[in-house]
Amino acid sequence: MNEALARRKLLGILSGSWVAQGVYALVRLGVPDLMADGPVHVGDLAHRCGADPRALGRLLRALALTGLFTRPAPDTYGLTPTTELLRADVPGSVRLNALMQGDEVFRSFAEIMHTLRTGRPAFEAVYGRPFYDYLGDNPEAAAVFNESMGDQRPPEALAGCDLSAARIVVDVGGGNGSLLVELLERYPDLQGVLLELPDAAAAARAKLAEAGLAGRSACVEGSFFDGVPDGGDVYTLARVLHNWNDDNAVAILRRVHAVLPPHGRVIVLEEFLPEEADPAGRSAAGLVDLLMLVTLEGRDRTEHEYRELLGKAGFEVVTARAGVLEARVA
């Protein structure tokens, strides 16, 4: 790559937050939803969302020039297949994720120097308390977080897990119930239990009822640090352990170990960091680890590191594939 191309690439990276925050602002105003029926004149958009028409027009023009919006006529803008996903009412919507990224996450990254100097999450310096304590005091932020996490599709690695012989699956820290819905729909004879904090458990209860699965499921309110429901023969931990430091991750696994029957399994679903940095095999896992660095105490890990956590908690890994470890009591 010559110097001019390298410079252009680097400047594009450095200005990436401008685009991201521009998208966030449009989502916060509800602009993508106002474009659901097709392109709209900026004057009409500004009137309907309460924005200054000149400022809104300049932002939409800039994002249209990046390819994120169409401009079929002067001062008239519409959605592309990509920005359709910013609407609230489409499958796979990332609207809530955009809101979370533009608020708490953006402000945390603005204070990344605090993390680099102290080793502590910048989130705590910005908001004065750890991430989950903040969510406990801010129901609106908690709802956005829980729903944005639930909007993520169940990990692809889940497809390789065979639960045909299981009777009861317990989803530990199961968010708004998306993964449990997936499992109960796939296995008609399976019963499900979800453990979550009250707000998330309420959202999961509603999602399971909407899917017609209320009769085959139960949502238990509580913290996995205090204990997990017994009676399951499969326990799932999907995108849970990477939120916590090693000691707390082992503590969570030990809570599962305490109730897992001899024939039971624990299934850990995470995106593994590559063992070695390989520019040819790029992975987004490293960027997610940066998110953990500035917002939470946790971190992403390699498969080997997750194996070590399971071993410290008294488990033996019996199956390993990309993104999944299945273990039994050692």
Side-chain angles (χ1 to χ4, degrees), residues 116-135:
L116 292 177
R117 289 189 172 119
T118 67
R120 296 297 305 164
F123 184 96
E124 296 177 7
V126 176
Y127 293 97
R129 69 207 104 163
F131 182 78
Y132 287 109
D133 290 349
Y134 168 81
L135 292 185

Side-chain angles (χ1 to χ4, degrees), residues 300-315:
D300 279 352
R301 300 172 175 89
T302 64
E303 178 186 323
H304 176 73
E305 289 171 324
Y306 279 113
R307 283 176 175 269
E308 287 188 329
L309 294 180
L310 284 160
K312 289 178 180 178
F315 289 103

Side-chain angles (χ1 to χ4, degrees), residues 4-328:
L5 288 176
R7 180 181 175 82
R8 174 183 287 184
K9 179 179 179 180
L10 186 55
L11 290 174
I13 292 170
L14 294 174
S15 62
S17 62
W18 310 349
V19 175
Q21 285 304 106
V23 170
Y24 155 76
L26 292 178
V27 171
R28 177 62 72 186
L29 290 170
V31 168
D33 292 317
L34 296 176
M35 294 177 173
D37 295 328
V40 185
H41 190 275
V42 70
D44 187 23
L45 285 172
H47 174 73
R48 294 167 67 186
C49 73
D52 177 84
R54 290 186 179 180
L56 181 60
R58 289 173 66 180
L59 175 56
L60 283 167
R61 180 180 62 189
L63 295 182
L65 290 171
T66 71
L68 286 173
F69 291 86
T70 65
R71 191 185 183 193
D75 296 325
T76 299
Y77 296 91
L79 299 171
T80 66
T82 297
T83 46
E84 282 278 350
L85 294 174
L86 296 172
R87 289 170 48 193
D89 60 347
V90 297
S93 172
V94 296
R95 172 182 171 274
L96 292 173
N97 191 276
L99 292 177
M100 184 178 67
Q101 296 292 337
D103 278 330
E104 289 85 2
V105 171
F106 178 76
R107 293 175 186 177
S108 297
F109 269 101
E111 298 298 330
I112 193 171
M113 290 303 299
H114 172 83
T115 296
L116 292 177
R117 289 189 172 119
T118 67
R120 296 297 305 164
F123 184 96
E124 296 177 7
V126 176
Y127 293 97
R129 69 207 104 163
F131 182 78
Y132 287 109
D133 290 349
Y134 168 81
L135 292 185
D137 295 334
N138 292 271
E140 182 179 351
V144 169
F145 172 74
N146 290 327
E147 287 301 312
S148 67
M149 294 299 98
D151 284 344
Q152 297 182 23
R153 299 184 185 280
E156 292 182 7
L158 183 67
C161 300
D162 183 9
L163 274 65
S164 58
R167 298 177 302 103
I168 299 174
V169 60
V170 180
D171 192 11
V172 179
N176 74 346
S178 294
L179 184 141
L180 190 57
V181 167
E182 172 89 6
L183 290 174
L184 296 183
E185 289 181 341
R186 186 180 303 177
Y187 299 98
D189 296 326
L190 189 65
Q191 300 285 318
V193 177
L194 180 139
L195 173 68
E196 257 296 0
L197 297 175
D199 288 343
R205 202 173 286 116
K207 182 177 283 290
L208 287 157
E210 182 182 357
L213 298 168
R216 293 169 50 206
S217 62
C219 295
V220 177
E221 297 180 4
S223 167
F224 38 55
F225 289 114
D226 297 330
V228 301
D230 59 11
D233 41 17
V234 173
Y235 285 74
T236 56
L237 289 156
R239 304 185 182 111
V240 170
L241 298 181
H242 80 147
N243 291 329
W244 303 96
N245 63 32
D246 287 358
D247 289 343
N248 279 331
V250 171
I252 295 166
L253 288 169
R254 284 176 175 158
R255 294 293 184 270
V256 176
H257 187 279
V259 298
L260 192 69
H263 65 278
R265 286 180 291 161
V266 59
I267 299 176
V268 172
L269 295 150
E270 296 280 1
E271 184 169 1
F272 302 149
L273 284 173
E275 297 288 347
E276 297 180 1
D278 178 9
R282 297 178 182 177
S283 170
L287 294 179
V288 176
D289 189 45
L290 281 185
L291 176 64
M292 299 295 103
L293 179 68
V294 301
T295 57
L296 293 161
E297 66 175 52
R299 64 187 182 92
D300 279 352
R301 300 172 175 89
T302 64
E303 178 186 323
H304 176 73
E305 289 171 324
Y306 279 113
R307 283 176 175 269
E308 287 188 329
L309 294 180
L310 284 160
K312 289 178 180 178
F315 289 103
E316 176 188 8
V317 174
V318 294
T319 303
R321 298 181 302 280
V324 59
L325 292 171
E326 297 188 44
R328 300 184 186 277

